[in-house]
Amino acid sequence: MKIFTSAQIHELDKYTIEHEPITSLNLMERAAKALTRAIEEEWSNRTPVVVFAGPGNNGGDALAVARLLSEDGYAVSVFLFNVHNKLSADCATNKKRLIEGKRVKQFTEVTVNFDPPQLEAGMLVVDGLFGSGLNKPLAGGFAAMVKYINQSAAKIVSIDLPSGLMSEDNSYNISANIIRADLTLTLQQKKLSMMMADNQQYLGRIKVLDIRLSPEFIQRTESRCSILEEKDIRQLLKPRGDFAHKGSMGTALLIAGSYGMSGASVLATRACLRTGVGKVITHTPKRNYEIMQISVPEAVLQMDTEETIFSEPVDTEDYHAMGIGPGLGTSEATAIALIAQLRRCTCPVVVDADALNILASHRAWMQQLPKNHIFTPHPRELDRLAGITSSNCTERLFKACELADRLHGYILLKGHFSALCHPDGKVEFCSTGNSGMATAGSGDVLTGIITALLARGYKQADAARIGMYLHGLAGDLAIKDLGKESLIASDLINYLPKAFLRIEE
């Protein structure tokens, strides 16, 4: 699913109107019918409804919804804010239709003073003040209105976007002046701001409503950002031939673990094996020998000369991919070995965890890395790599994109909607995953998965795409049986087979 900017959304509406063809008013009616159906699926007509409509097309949608709900037996009170005495043409027409219909319980057009209605538990507020066209924070009376709605006990459903939330960058927005919806009914496609963790407090649940905007425009229009879905991943998977053997399925090298952190090497190795690679060689300190041998008998062990740390680079000529970093530690000897290892690496590489922490402490080293590497930082690791603490998720995403461009590599910024930032500026969000995966070791599993896919011959972009999707899907399948509270990293490995089967169906 593509994510369009607010300007592109406007162009999409315009193109649909011109080429379907359909009038803008009838397109608004189509959207209103989809919105009304979605509301009626959630709340019965015994629920009192209060509609707040703005002067633009978002307000026009809200007025049309109010009319349709009233026709279906809902008790609807409507407040249209027209403080500048200027309504959009379609908003004005829907105002006329609403008044002429004479079905709503109350209609108030606010031009100067506003006496707010009593909002109570058991009531539903339909927020149609402002939509995706908003480009600055709310202030004055509209900000006061938002605060009044938010402090009520009523449920809130927002049309397209919660009023006050901008469709893209909210870095300089004012949190108190944004509607906090229980349900957001967004039209046709998600907006970029919906993918940011710090905006989830405003969105509630999100439903995307198909209002049949031009598929031709959507298909031919490039978007910088998109959301990966199951059909996208299914197209990327390579069939496993009947005559495949371990030599043809790739050999992966994992450099992981230090004394006291052998679990990281176990998890990464098991995940790598579960992702179908032919053979895994794990390079780890001597003291991890027995734990690794017992925990992952399928792995081939390569012991470091040191007892407790990774201390010397290894040749990579015989390997098809390398993953480095889980549980590695950050000692000076390990840091020196790490940069030597990355410099001499001749195969695709995944860089994670302590390898990222070492590079963050020696940022000049990053310029010596081979191109097309894959970094898999969580937000704080990204901040350290960028050398700046981001104040919000949008800023952090932009920093990840800048880093991908500067290093000519891929930055997989982990989170609920993990974001794969390409060196050409494109961003792909993952649609799988859940908060149960917020547990130690989840990242080690992801490193193992992506390393295996690289070793099997997938290009870096495809390995990262498939890897993050499978990782999240395994988590989604696991919580159906185990719940979010009880999920641990090894469960992700155990559910990887089910994730593969789901995609291969």
Side-chain angles (χ1 to χ4, degrees), residues 131-423:
S132 59
L134 189 71
N135 57 15
K136 60 182 179 180
L138 295 183
F142 284 115
M145 184 71 249
V146 164
K147 291 171 183 174
Y148 177 75
I149 294 171
N150 283 342
Q151 60 81 38
S152 77
K155 294 292 184 182
I156 304 169
V157 56
S158 287
I159 294 175
D160 208 23
L161 273 171
S163 291
L165 186 68
M166 289 174 273
S167 60
E168 287 133 44
D169 188 359
N170 286 272
S171 300
Y172 301 101
N173 211 335
I174 302 168
S175 179
N177 298 351
I178 303 173
I179 286 287
R180 295 175 182 265
D182 297 286
L183 173 65
T184 298
L185 301 174
T186 198
L187 302 176
Q188 200 64 47
Q189 296 164 311
K190 286 186 176 181
K191 284 65 180 173
L192 180 60
S193 59
M194 293 179 168
M195 311 310 293
M196 304 299 145
D198 45 11
N199 292 332
Q200 302 311 305
Q201 58 184 315
Y202 313 117
L203 295 160
R205 289 183 297 122
I206 301 172
K207 282 190 177 181
V208 180
L209 305 182
D210 183 2
I211 59 170
R212 308 196 306 280
L213 296 180
S214 172
E216 179 190 355
F217 181 96
I218 293 171
Q219 184 175 1
R220 70 173 175 79
T221 302
E222 287 293 318
S223 63
R224 181 186 179 189
C225 300
S226 60
I227 302 171
L228 288 171
E229 298 172 306
E230 191 167 306
K231 61 182 175 60
D232 303 314
I233 302 303
R234 187 174 287 121
Q235 292 169 1
L236 297 176
L237 280 183
K238 298 178 179 182
R240 194 179 186 95
D242 291 340
F243 291 89
H245 53 83
K246 70 179 180 181
S248 64
M249 295 306 294
T251 301
L253 169 67
L254 287 171
I255 300 177
S258 56
Y259 183 58
M261 293 292 288
S262 57
S265 52
V266 170
L267 290 167
T269 304
R270 288 188 59 219
C272 197
L273 287 161
R274 275 292 187 199
T275 309
V277 72
K279 186 164 62 171
V280 180
I281 285 79
T282 302
H283 182 95
T284 196
K286 286 180 179 179
R287 287 202 189 179
N288 290 344
Y289 177 79
E290 289 186 1
I291 293 172
M292 286 293 298
Q293 196 77 66
I294 293 168
S295 301
V296 200
E298 300 89 347
V300 177
L301 298 185
Q302 183 185 90
M303 311 316 296
D304 198 276
T305 56
E306 287 291 325
E307 290 284 327
T308 59
I309 62 170
F310 167 57
S311 67
E312 58 180 11
V314 298
D315 234 347
T316 59
E317 287 184 5
D318 295 331
Y319 306 109
H320 299 102
M322 179 181 77
I324 186 167
L328 210 59
T330 57
S331 70
E332 192 60 31
T334 296
I336 293 168
L338 170 73
I339 190 58
Q341 182 69 62
L342 292 173
R343 279 177 184 158
R344 68 190 292 179
C345 187
T346 57
C347 60
V349 59
V350 183
V351 185
D352 183 39
D354 281 333
L356 296 175
N357 291 327
I358 290 170
L359 290 173
S361 299
H362 304 79
R363 286 203 299 277
W365 289 358
M366 288 193 283
Q367 300 304 323
Q368 304 173 44
L369 298 179
K371 293 182 180 180
N372 296 320
H373 53 263
I374 301 172
F375 280 16
T376 58
H378 58 57
R380 292 303 175 198
E381 287 169 343
L382 190 280
D383 285 351
R384 290 194 285 269
L385 285 168
I388 185 171
T389 300
S390 301
S391 60
N392 59 76
C393 293
T394 307
E395 181 185 1
R396 185 172 288 118
L397 178 66
F398 292 161
K399 291 294 180 186
C401 291
E402 289 173 8
L403 193 62
D405 174 56
R406 190 167 77 247
L407 300 180
H408 305 286
Y410 296 86
I411 307 295
L412 200 169
L413 180 57
K414 294 182 286 196
H416 178 57
F417 294 117
S418 291
L420 177 61
C421 303
H422 295 241

